[in-house]
């Protein structure tokens, strides 16, 4: 059933974009927006529906680091490591989060709930240093605040909100 | 088909509606302020107004960036006949107070005037501080004044008048000459004269009847957000600039390439295109003329190199974003081999204002070779961090010390970085230079797209060099060896320096590798990647030497890089 739903979803994407020029990246965005990453079965289904070789899809998918090919977990914690944030202590923030979650940059926590990653400039440099969790932005953060932020999201996960 | 719109009528109606308001409240709805609670503030203002029965008499206008991001969320209150008041660090409670204690009495007060209660003082930002008075706004003039999601707001601010004028009264060649006369140069970093670029594209024969105009909204410099703020704050201005460029060059289709990390900018451009299409400004027979241009959006996917125009073109085509050698330049052979003009967001946003005010007006601002204004994202060790726009030719020191307000930490400033990963540092004793393309390049930095990062004594220059080079290495597409291998080797050498294990030979090797990368790399990424290293070596060699000397002295083992 889930597979059927996925096929229908990709069918819709293919219908919207398939005939347009330069649409492969847009279709991959649409898949990732829906599922949080681009699973292999979705890439296969897309290849079938728009008649593009799977290798072409992976060639593109692996070039752009915005695209994920494995599930990122329920809460994606991104630490901005752009210049403004770097100067205002992003490395310490990243370290504090790593310790709190018990993972390194780019890893998911053991229970699969949290994914820690460093990203380049989220465009709120005036608020440096900046951390985002999913779509929520936290500005002017301090390492000591990380525990509280993670706690809030843990509560939401425990409450089944995510 | 779109009905032929009378944009003049729409603009007049909107102006009348605005003038009839008892007050207008502007609150920043750009990503920075939204993330610090701006959304809740617009709601709180709206609810409070309703509570006082003023829902119809007072506007709440969500706007683009007002500039002083570090003190956001900002709210500006305009009551006809009174000076505007700007509030900083507003929360929902203060928002309700603003309505109850400012808007309600001010809107009701007659000529006898009214006083703001004293408890507001600490939340009022004086508008006569250098941060505001020293700026000159062209590109950002309407950001913070118009609601970017309503075309009526833009029309009421003279929007699309330039396009209308161009279509009715000018030949494409005349538009190109006007832009060339204004002296406008590309704001994406390279500084290529825009009129000349358009001229090349005009001469190029369409392929299969097609020619393209592409807006580069990739904004790769980490630590900068000018283009994003322009797209979020005034998307119609960029669209109008694109349509004028299309008319001038003969382009048949417009493409926005925007970073996927900027969802709000994407959303607003999408809305702008839709509204413009509905009003006959995009599509067939624009404003009743024979200009036909449709516009579309394509998203980036997190690759810095895609800001480079040939890589960007590959990315729109749905390929890996690798650059290719130029020539042929995109204006001759670009997207799907059609002639394509690639222009930066800020470049296009300048165009309507230049047409409206005339080339002399624009030409009068700036230096001999750099005209107009430049938007910078001023960040780092300054009191007032935010988005600023200054006339070209303003001295860096004035920007950092007056507009930025100096270092809040009371530490001596050390350097200013411009140009992001392709640029360099300018030491504090050389800050008395005018901002212009040539001067910054001469100092070993560059104008870049507008990142300006202030560093103080706490910041180690070797670390900074390593930071930028690390970025370039991460982002190298791997196509050419000088960039792929040279970058990695150089990063390893810098690591040796910061580990305190480098020798003089290593410094020499760093210099030689830099030259090799500059000369032999395929695209601008690799050619400019060594710049931060070269410029820190040029001005702060002592910090590198310190590491080397410590290493050659066996008695000192615990060296860590530090600021001087
Ligand atoms: C590595 C690299 C990154 C670039 N990134 C950007 C960018 O983010 N935005 C931009 O407008 N131009 C960028 N450029 C410059 C573009 O190639 C191109 O010159 C520019 O978009 C032309 O527009 P303009 O003439 O209006 O400045 C970059 C160039 C290089 C080599
Ligand atoms: S550098 Fe972190 S938001 Fe820009």
């Amino acid at each position: 059933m889930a597979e059927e739903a996925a096929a229908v979803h990709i069918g819709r994407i293919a219908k919207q974009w398939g005939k347009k020029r330069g649409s492969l990246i847009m279709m991959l965005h649409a898949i990732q927006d829906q599922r949080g990453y681009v699973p292999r079965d979705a890439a296969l289904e897309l290849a079938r529906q728009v008649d593009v070789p799977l290798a072409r899809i992976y060639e593109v998918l692996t070039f752009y680091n915005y695209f994920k090919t494995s599930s990122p977990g329920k809460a994606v914690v991104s630490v901005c490591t752009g210049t403004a944030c770097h100067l205002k202590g992003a490395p310490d923030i990243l370290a504090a989060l790593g310790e709190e979650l018990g993972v390194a940059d780019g890893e998911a926590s053991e229970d699969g709930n949290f994914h820690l990653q460093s990203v380049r400039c989220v465009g709120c440099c005036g608020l440096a240093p900046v951390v985002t969790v999913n779509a929520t932005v936290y500005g002017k953060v301090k390492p000591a605040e990380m525990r509280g932020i993670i706690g809030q999201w843990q509560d939401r996960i425990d409450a089944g909100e995510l | 088909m779109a009905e032929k719109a009378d944009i003049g009528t729409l603009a007049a109606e909107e102006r009348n509606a605005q003038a009839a308001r008892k007050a207008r409240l502007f609150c920043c709805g750009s990503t920075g302020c939204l993330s610090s609670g701006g959304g809740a503030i617009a709601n709180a203002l709206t609810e409070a107004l309703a509570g006082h029965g003023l829902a119809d008499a007072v506007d709440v206008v969500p706007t683009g960036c007002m500039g002083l991001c570090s003190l956001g969320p900002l709210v500006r209150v305009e009551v006809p006949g009174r000076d505007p008041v700007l509030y900083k660090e507003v929360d929902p409670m203060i928002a309700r107070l603003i309505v109850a204690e400012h808007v309600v009495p001010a809107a009701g007060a007659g000529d006898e005037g009214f006083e703001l209660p004293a408890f507001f003082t600490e939340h009022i930002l004086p508008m006569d501080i250098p941060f505001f008075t020293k700026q000159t706004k062209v590109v950002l003039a309407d950001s913070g004044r118009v609601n970017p999601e309503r075309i009526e707001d833009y029309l009421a601010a003279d929007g699309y008048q330039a396009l209308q004028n161009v279509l009715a009264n000018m030949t494409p060649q005349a538009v190109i000459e006007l832009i060339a006369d204004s002296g406008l140069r590309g704001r994406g970093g390279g500084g290529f004269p825009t009129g000349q670029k358009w001229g090349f594209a005009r001469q190029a024969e369409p392929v299969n009847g097609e020619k393209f105009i592409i807006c580069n909204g990739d904004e790769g410099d980490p630590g900068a957000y000018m283009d994003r703020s322009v797209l979020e704050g005034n998307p119609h201005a960029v669209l109008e600039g694109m349509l004028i460029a299309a008319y001038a060059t003969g382009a048949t289709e417009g493409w926005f390439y925007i970073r996927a990390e900027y969802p709000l900018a994407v959303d607003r451009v999408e809305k702008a295109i839709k509204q413009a299409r509905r009003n006959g400004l995009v599509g067939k027979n624009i404003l009743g003329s024979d200009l036909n241009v449709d516009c579309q959006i394509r998203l980036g996917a997190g690759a810095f190199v895609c800001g480079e125009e040939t890589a960007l073109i590959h990315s729109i085509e749905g390929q890996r974003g690798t650059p290719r050698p130029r020539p042929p330049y995109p204006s001759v052979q670009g997207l799907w081999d059609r002639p394509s003009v690639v222009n930066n967001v800020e470049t296009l946003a300048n165009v309507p204002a230049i047409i409206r005010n005339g080339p002399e007006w624009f030409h009068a601002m700036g230096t001999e070779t750099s005209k107009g204004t430049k938007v910078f994202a001023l960040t780092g060790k300054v009191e007032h961090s935010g988005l600023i726009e200054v006339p070209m030719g303003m001295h860096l020191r004035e920007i950092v010390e007056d507009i930025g307000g100096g270092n809040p930490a009371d530490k001596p400033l050390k350097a200013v970085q411009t140009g992001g990963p392709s640029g360099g540092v300018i030491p504090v004793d050389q800050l008395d230079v005018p901002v212009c393309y040539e001067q910054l390049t001469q100092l070993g930095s560059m104008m870049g797209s507008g990142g300006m990062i202030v560093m103080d004594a706490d910041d180690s220059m070797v670390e900074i060099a390593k930071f930028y080079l690390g970025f370039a290495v991460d982002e190298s597409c791997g196509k050419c060896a000088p960039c792929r291998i040279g970058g990695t080797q150089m990063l390893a050498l810098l690591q040796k320096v910061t580990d305190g294990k480098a020798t003089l030979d290593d410094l020499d090797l760093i210099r030689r590798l830099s030259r090799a990368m500059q000369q032999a790399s395929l695209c601008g990424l690799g050619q400019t990647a060594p710049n931060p290293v070269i410029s820190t070596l040029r001005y702060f060699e002592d910090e590198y030497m310190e590491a080397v000397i410590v290493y050659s002295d066996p008695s000192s083992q615990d060296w860590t890089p530090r600021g001087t």
Side-chain angles (χ1 to χ4, degrees):
Chain A
M1 185 60 211
E3 259 173 45
E4 265 172 50
V8 169
H9 176 237
I10 289 169
R12 258 202 309 271
I13 294 172
K15 196 158 165 229
Q16 188 193 346
W17 288 103
K19 295 240 156 46
K20 293 192 184 147
R21 291 187 284 193
S23 54
L24 179 54
I25 292 176
M26 299 305 279
M27 292 191 281
L28 294 173
H29 273 300
I31 293 173
Q32 181 157 310
D33 281 350
Q34 165 91 7
R35 308 196 43 187
Y37 68 114
V38 184
R40 193 172 167 81
D41 61 287
L44 268 167
E45 182 64 30
L46 185 67
R48 203 177 58 73
Q49 295 210 20
V50 294
D51 198 20
V52 168
L54 189 63
R56 254 282 280 139
I57 293 183
Y58 270 89
E59 182 190 61
V60 169
L61 208 47
T62 52
F63 179 84
Y64 295 96
N65 58 32
Y66 188 84
F67 292 126
K68 297 188 178 70
T69 51
S70 58
S71 173
K74 290 179 181 153
V76 180
V77 184
S78 309
V79 181
C80 176
T81 54
T83 322
C85 291
H86 180 82
L87 283 181
K88 296 230 165 139
D92 298 339
I93 303 284
L94 189 59
L97 279 168
E99 201 164 299
E100 187 59 34
L101 296 170
V103 298
D105 182 8
E107 285 179 4
S109 59
E110 218 155 86
D111 55 14
N113 282 341
F114 289 92
H115 183 92
L116 179 64
Q117 61 182 14
S118 58
V119 295
R120 304 291 188 187
C121 192
V122 293
C124 308
C125 321
L127 301 174
V130 176
V131 169
T132 67
V133 183
N134 295 352
T136 309
V137 182
Y138 300 88
K140 298 187 193 170
V141 292
K142 300 186 180 66
E145 293 166 4
M146 293 306 109
R147 173 160 294 173
I149 292 174
I150 295 300
Q152 283 169 20
W153 285 86
Q154 185 68 57
D155 290 348
R156 296 187 57 184
I157 291 169
D158 292 344
E161 282 178 37
L162 298 178
Chain B
M1 223 195 99
E3 211 178 290
K4 199 176 126 187
D6 184 355
I7 59 172
T9 313
L10 279 177
E13 280 172 12
E14 177 64 23
R15 271 194 288 264
N16 289 340
Q18 289 180 6
R21 296 282 180 266
K22 289 201 165 125
R24 305 191 78 216
L25 314 183
F26 300 83
C27 58
C28 180
S30 65
T31 304
C33 279
L34 283 181
S35 71
S36 45
I41 286 156
N43 290 340
L45 289 171
T46 310
E47 277 169 25
L49 287 168
H52 290 277
L54 287 174
D56 294 328
V58 177
D59 277 342
V60 175
V61 188
T63 69
C65 185
M66 297 193 196
L68 198 35
C69 309
S70 56
L71 295 179
L74 304 175
V75 172
R76 194 177 68 254
V77 177
E78 289 188 5
V79 178
R82 302 183 194 283
D83 289 338
V85 178
L86 185 60
Y87 291 89
K88 63 178 177 180
E89 294 173 328
V90 178
D91 61 24
M93 216 264 291
I94 297 166
R96 285 189 285 274
L97 278 176
I98 291 174
V99 171
E101 305 290 338
H102 179 168
V103 179
V104 172
D111 290 338
E112 70 275 20
F114 113 103
E115 292 272 321
L116 276 177
F119 58 80
F120 274 138
T121 317
E122 63 179 297
H123 279 284
I124 290 180
L125 200 61
M127 300 236 228
D128 55 359
I129 57 173
F131 182 88
F132 296 113
T133 57
K134 293 225 161 180
Q135 295 195 47
T136 302
K137 298 202 169 179
V138 173
V139 173
L140 298 178
D142 289 331
S143 182
R145 307 205 58 81
V146 301
N147 179 345
E149 302 196 355
R150 290 187 73 229
I151 193 171
E152 295 83 0
D153 268 38
Y154 183 64
L155 290 172
D158 297 336
Y160 291 107
Q161 270 188 12
L163 177 67
Q164 198 167 28
N165 177 21
V166 157
L167 291 179
N169 306 317
M170 292 174 79
T171 63
Q173 192 55 40
V175 177
I176 290 176
E177 277 161 25
L178 187 153
I179 293 298
D181 287 346
S182 76
L184 176 65
R185 295 171 64 178
R187 301 295 195 241
F192 194 83
T194 306
Q196 205 178 336
K197 189 184 275 187
W198 290 9
F200 291 145
R202 163 120 222 116
Q203 282 157 22
E205 279 301 314
V207 175
N208 266 4
E210 289 185 316
K211 204 187 268 192
F212 299 131
I213 162 90
I214 301 170
C215 172
N216 187 343
D218 196 46
E219 190 150 67
D221 177 354
Y225 56 109
M226 301 73 50
D227 294 344
R228 163 202 177 132
S229 303
V230 173
L231 290 171
E232 282 182 9
N234 202 1
H236 280 289
V238 187
L239 180 55
E240 187 180 2
M242 177 184 267
L243 294 167
I244 293 170
Y247 176 70
T249 58
T252 53
E253 215 168 322
W255 301 79
F256 285 89
Y257 185 82
I258 307 175
R259 286 183 69 184
E261 291 86 343
Y262 289 178
L264 191 59
V266 173
D267 186 49
R268 292 204 172 143
V269 173
E270 211 165 84
K271 285 200 175 107
I273 295 174
K274 275 206 190 106
Q275 294 168 351
R277 193 177 289 129
R278 220 179 298 132
N279 287 287
L281 294 156
V282 161
K284 290 213 172 2
N285 301 112
I286 293 175
L287 289 173
S289 72
D290 51 14
L291 178 66
N292 305 315
V293 184
D294 215 325
C295 298
Q296 322 199 27
I297 302 178
R298 290 294 180 270
L299 303 191
F304 171 67
V305 72
C306 286
E308 196 278 337
E309 53 191 22
T310 62
L312 182 152
I313 285 169
H314 285 152
S315 184
I316 297 185
E317 290 172 349
Q319 321 270 352
R320 293 165 77 96
T322 50
R324 63 158 174 80
R326 300 172 307 175
Y329 286 90
S331 45
V332 177
Q333 191 179 338
L335 187 57
W336 289 294
D337 293 335
R338 312 320 191 229
S340 308
V341 181
V342 182
N343 270 141
N344 168 261
V345 169
E346 191 183 331
T347 313
L348 292 177
N350 267 297
V351 169
I354 295 175
I355 307 268
R356 276 201 309 270
N357 299 301
E360 302 80 18
W361 163 82
F362 193 78
H363 202 264
M365 291 181 279
T367 67
E368 189 63 31
T369 56
S370 309
K371 301 297 182 188
T373 60
K374 180 75 194 85
V375 179
F376 289 101
L378 181 62
T379 58
K381 308 295 172 66
V382 279
E383 175 77 35
H384 294 146
S385 163
L387 193 72
I388 62 161
E389 182 172 357
V390 297
M392 296 274 193
M394 181 178 273
H395 283 202
L396 273 175
R397 189 177 303 282
E398 217 175 332
I399 298 180
V400 172
E401 292 183 356
D402 297 349
I403 295 181
N407 190 358
D410 206 24
K411 290 205 173 91
L413 292 179
K414 192 191 234 171
V416 174
Q417 210 278 352
T418 64
S422 308
V425 295
I426 297 166
V428 74
D429 59 9
Q430 309 230 8
L431 288 186
D432 294 299
V433 293
V435 167
C436 78
Y437 291 98
E438 284 71 21
Q439 291 268 1
L440 294 183
T441 306
Q442 208 180 337
L443 285 172
S445 183
M446 62 186 270
M447 178 79 82
S449 53
M452 186 176 283
I453 297 177
V454 182
M455 303 170 182
D456 71 8
D458 282 347
D459 302 313
S460 153
M461 290 296 120
V462 189
E463 284 286 354
I464 294 293
K466 202 173 85 183
F467 170 80
Y468 279 116
L469 188 70
F471 176 84
V473 167
D474 277 354
E475 296 295 337
S476 167
C477 75
K479 185 166 173 178
C480 75
C483 173
R484 182 183 68 237
I485 302 172
T488 309
Q489 292 305 322
M490 187 134 82
L491 192 59
L493 288 168
L494 284 179
Q495 187 63 43
K496 270 177 96 177
V497 178
T498 55
D499 286 346
K501 298 212 162 91
T503 64
L504 273 180
D505 286 346
D506 291 324
L507 294 193
D508 189 45
L509 198 52
I510 289 175
R511 288 196 168 90
R512 285 188 0 234
L513 264 176
S514 297
R515 274 194 296 277
M517 285 179 74
Q518 281 179 321
Q519 285 162 9
S521 295
L522 175 62
C523 85
L525 193 154
Q527 288 158 11
T528 58
N531 287 359
V533 181
I534 297 171
S535 86
T536 46
L537 257 175
R538 169 168 165 194
Y539 295 115
F540 299 96
E541 194 180 10
D542 52 332
E543 289 187 32
Y544 285 82
M545 285 307 291
E546 198 178 336
V548 173
I549 291 165
V550 172
Y551 183 52
S552 57
D553 172 5
S555 66
S556 59
Q557 287 302 316
D558 303 331
W559 183 82
T560 46
R562 60 165 184 85
T564 44

